[in-house]
Amino acid sequence: MISEDVANQLLAPTGRTLTTAQALVRAHRSDSSAPASGFDVPTTVRMSVSLTPVHDVDAMNVVGVLRSPDPNNAARAVLVGGHLDGVGTDPNGAVFQAANDNASGPSVTIEVARALAASRSSLNHSIVFVAFAGEEEGFYGSEAYIAQMAVAPGRVESLVAVLNLDVIGCCSDTLIVSSEAPDLQRRVLDAASGLGVSAEATGSGGSDQTSFARRRVPAVLIGTRDYILHVYADKPAVVEESRLKKAGDVVTQVAKDLATAP
Ligand SMILES: [Zn+2]
């Protein structure tokens, strides 16, 4: 990760800045006939990075189940979750606080669980809440969940949808919804628009929903458009409660709709 100042210094020979480069990317994303967003940068960078040795650590997922009272349908479930790990410490031991990436995800998951617990009697399907470990190192927690969760509701074959919350506290009021499952993506975008929350479609990948999409479970990432992650500045002060609430309202509604469907 580099600062905007450094990025602008690297881009200077091209006559562009980070802002104009971002504008190119956005224009190309919304209209594929717009000029390509890639360009050559005649800059050579030499850098040194301190590394720490690789070592094994123990980590755990945290799983909660809100069981539907309907005995015929309770074995199927909607999964709501977000990863609980951050990027740890730098080689000098300074902690990356990881407030937006991704304390924001599990904290909204907990609130969604609290809100949905009040509607338990109306649920046809169960709802599983998960805080995944080991996302940053390569989706280890979600892969372990899929490999080891043996009971229904919960195991991957029982899941009707996965709503994965990642980077939802900063830095834009527009939610992004990933594209692995177009019907689910549309459902989330529609729910947002019904609640007056700005939201837009984005590409695929980048977080734990990928593990479920690979097993053909409809799964999307819900985040915010402009985010901060993996830097010292990702501290609690950058996370805004109003953004968490918007994401939480949308996720609560979508999870409830899916879980009350026949
Ligand atoms: Zn993340």
Side-chain angles (χ1 to χ4, degrees), residues 173-175 188-200 242 245-247 249-250 253:
D173 284 322
T174 298
L175 294 180
V188 177
L189 291 171
D190 287 349
S193 109
L195 290 163
V197 174
S198 158
E200 63 187 33
S242 62
K245 182 177 185 316
K246 284 178 187 172
D249 287 344
V250 172
Q253 178 167 330

CSV table of all heavy atoms in Angstrom, one decimal, residues 173-175 188-200 242 245-247 249-250 253:
chain,number,residue,atom,x,y,z
A,173,ASP,N,-20.8,6.5,1.0
A,173,ASP,CA,-22.1,6.2,1.4
A,173,ASP,C,-22.8,5.2,0.4
A,173,ASP,O,-23.9,4.9,0.5
A,173,ASP,CB,-23.0,7.4,1.6
A,173,ASP,CG,-22.7,8.1,2.9
A,173,ASP,OD1,-22.4,7.4,3.9
A,173,ASP,OD2,-22.6,9.4,2.9
A,174,THR,N,-22.0,4.8,-0.6
A,174,THR,CA,-22.5,3.9,-1.6
A,174,THR,C,-22.1,2.5,-1.3
A,174,THR,O,-20.9,2.2,-1.2
A,174,THR,CB,-22.1,4.4,-3.0
A,174,THR,OG1,-22.6,5.7,-3.3
A,174,THR,CG2,-22.6,3.4,-4.1
A,175,LEU,N,-23.0,1.6,-1.2
A,175,LEU,CA,-22.7,0.2,-1.0
A,175,LEU,C,-22.3,-0.4,-2.4
A,175,LEU,O,-22.8,0.0,-3.4
A,175,LEU,CB,-23.9,-0.6,-0.5
A,175,LEU,CG,-24.4,-0.3,0.9
A,175,LEU,CD1,-25.6,-1.2,1.2
A,175,LEU,CD2,-23.3,-0.5,1.9
A,188,VAL,N,-30.2,-7.7,-3.6
A,188,VAL,CA,-29.6,-6.8,-2.6
A,188,VAL,C,-29.7,-5.4,-3.1
A,188,VAL,O,-30.0,-4.5,-2.4
A,188,VAL,CB,-28.1,-7.2,-2.4
A,188,VAL,CG1,-27.5,-6.2,-1.4
A,188,VAL,CG2,-28.0,-8.6,-1.8
A,189,LEU,N,-29.4,-5.2,-4.4
A,189,LEU,CA,-29.5,-3.8,-5.0
A,189,LEU,C,-30.9,-3.3,-4.9
A,189,LEU,O,-31.2,-2.1,-4.5
A,189,LEU,CB,-29.0,-3.8,-6.4
A,189,LEU,CG,-27.5,-4.0,-6.7
A,189,LEU,CD1,-27.3,-4.2,-8.2
A,189,LEU,CD2,-26.7,-2.9,-6.1
A,190,ASP,N,-31.9,-4.1,-5.1
A,190,ASP,CA,-33.3,-3.7,-5.0
A,190,ASP,C,-33.7,-3.4,-3.6
A,190,ASP,O,-34.4,-2.4,-3.3
A,190,ASP,CB,-34.3,-4.8,-5.5
A,190,ASP,CG,-34.2,-4.9,-7.1
A,190,ASP,OD1,-33.6,-4.0,-7.7
A,190,ASP,OD2,-34.8,-5.9,-7.6
A,191,ALA,N,-33.2,-4.2,-2.6
A,191,ALA,CA,-33.5,-4.0,-1.2
A,191,ALA,C,-32.9,-2.6,-0.8
A,191,ALA,O,-33.6,-1.8,-0.1
A,191,ALA,CB,-33.0,-5.1,-0.3
A,192,ALA,N,-31.7,-2.3,-1.3
A,192,ALA,CA,-31.0,-1.1,-0.9
A,192,ALA,C,-31.9,0.1,-1.5
A,192,ALA,O,-32.1,1.0,-0.8
A,192,ALA,CB,-29.6,-1.1,-1.5
A,193,SER,N,-32.3,0.0,-2.8
A,193,SER,CA,-33.0,1.1,-3.3
A,193,SER,C,-34.3,1.3,-2.6
A,193,SER,O,-34.7,2.4,-2.4
A,193,SER,CB,-33.1,0.9,-4.9
A,193,SER,OG,-34.3,0.6,-5.3
A,194,GLY,N,-35.0,0.2,-2.2
A,194,GLY,CA,-36.2,0.3,-1.5
A,194,GLY,C,-36.0,1.0,-0.1
A,194,GLY,O,-36.9,1.7,0.4
A,195,LEU,N,-34.8,0.9,0.5
A,195,LEU,CA,-34.5,1.5,1.8
A,195,LEU,C,-33.9,2.9,1.6
A,195,LEU,O,-33.5,3.5,2.6
A,195,LEU,CB,-33.6,0.6,2.6
A,195,LEU,CG,-34.2,-0.7,3.1
A,195,LEU,CD1,-33.1,-1.7,3.5
A,195,LEU,CD2,-35.2,-0.4,4.3
A,196,GLY,N,-33.8,3.3,0.3
A,196,GLY,CA,-33.2,4.6,0.1
A,196,GLY,C,-31.6,4.6,0.3
A,196,GLY,O,-31.1,5.7,0.6
A,197,VAL,N,-31.0,3.5,0.2
A,197,VAL,CA,-29.6,3.4,0.4
A,197,VAL,C,-28.9,3.3,-1.0
A,197,VAL,O,-29.3,2.4,-1.8
A,197,VAL,CB,-29.2,2.1,1.2
A,197,VAL,CG1,-27.7,1.9,1.3
A,197,VAL,CG2,-29.8,2.2,2.6
A,198,SER,N,-28.0,4.1,-1.2
A,198,SER,CA,-27.3,4.1,-2.5
A,198,SER,C,-26.4,2.8,-2.6
A,198,SER,O,-25.7,2.5,-1.7
A,198,SER,CB,-26.4,5.4,-2.6
A,198,SER,OG,-25.4,5.2,-3.5
A,199,ALA,N,-26.5,2.1,-3.8
A,199,ALA,CA,-25.8,0.9,-3.9
A,199,ALA,C,-25.5,0.7,-5.4
A,199,ALA,O,-26.3,1.1,-6.3
A,199,ALA,CB,-26.6,-0.3,-3.4
A,200,GLU,N,-24.4,0.0,-5.7
A,200,GLU,CA,-24.1,-0.3,-7.1
A,200,GLU,C,-23.4,-1.6,-7.3
A,200,GLU,O,-22.8,-2.1,-6.3
A,200,GLU,CB,-23.2,0.8,-7.7
A,200,GLU,CG,-21.9,1.0,-7.1
A,200,GLU,CD,-21.1,2.2,-7.6
A,200,GLU,OE1,-21.7,3.2,-7.9
A,200,GLU,OE2,-19.9,2.1,-7.7
A,242,SER,N,-23.3,5.5,10.8
A,242,SER,CA,-24.4,5.7,9.9
A,242,SER,C,-24.2,4.7,8.7
A,242,SER,O,-25.2,4.2,8.2
A,242,SER,CB,-24.5,7.1,9.4
A,242,SER,OG,-23.3,7.5,8.7
A,245,LYS,N,-25.1,1.2,9.8
A,245,LYS,CA,-26.5,1.0,9.9
A,245,LYS,C,-27.2,0.8,8.6
A,245,LYS,O,-28.0,-0.1,8.4
A,245,LYS,CB,-27.1,2.3,10.6
A,245,LYS,CG,-28.7,2.1,10.8
A,245,LYS,CD,-29.3,3.3,11.5
A,245,LYS,CE,-30.8,3.0,11.7
A,245,LYS,NZ,-31.5,2.5,10.6
A,246,LYS,N,-26.7,1.5,7.6
A,246,LYS,CA,-27.3,1.3,6.2
A,246,LYS,C,-27.0,-0.1,5.7
A,246,LYS,O,-27.9,-0.8,5.2
A,246,LYS,CB,-26.6,2.3,5.2
A,246,LYS,CG,-27.2,3.7,5.4
A,246,LYS,CD,-26.5,4.7,4.4
A,246,LYS,CE,-26.9,6.1,4.7
A,246,LYS,NZ,-26.2,7.1,3.9
A,247,ALA,N,-25.8,-0.5,5.9
A,247,ALA,CA,-25.5,-1.9,5.4
A,247,ALA,C,-26.3,-2.9,6.3
A,247,ALA,O,-26.8,-3.9,5.7
A,247,ALA,CB,-24.0,-2.2,5.6
A,249,ASP,N,-29.2,-2.5,7.7
A,249,ASP,CA,-30.6,-2.5,7.3
A,249,ASP,C,-30.8,-3.3,6.1
A,249,ASP,O,-31.8,-4.1,6.0
A,249,ASP,CB,-31.1,-1.0,7.1
A,249,ASP,CG,-31.2,-0.3,8.4
A,249,ASP,OD1,-31.3,-0.9,9.5
A,249,ASP,OD2,-31.3,1.0,8.4
A,250,VAL,N,-29.9,-3.1,5.1
A,250,VAL,CA,-30.1,-3.8,3.8
A,250,VAL,C,-29.9,-5.3,4.1
A,250,VAL,O,-30.7,-6.1,3.6
A,250,VAL,CB,-29.1,-3.3,2.8
A,250,VAL,CG1,-29.1,-4.2,1.5
A,250,VAL,CG2,-29.3,-1.8,2.4
A,253,GLN,N,-32.9,-6.9,5.9
A,253,GLN,CA,-34.0,-7.1,5.0
A,253,GLN,C,-33.9,-8.3,4.1
A,253,GLN,O,-34.7,-9.1,3.9
A,253,GLN,CB,-34.4,-5.9,4.3
A,253,GLN,CG,-35.6,-6.1,3.4
A,253,GLN,CD,-36.2,-4.9,2.8
A,253,GLN,OE1,-36.2,-3.8,3.4
A,253,GLN,NE2,-36.8,-5.1,1.7
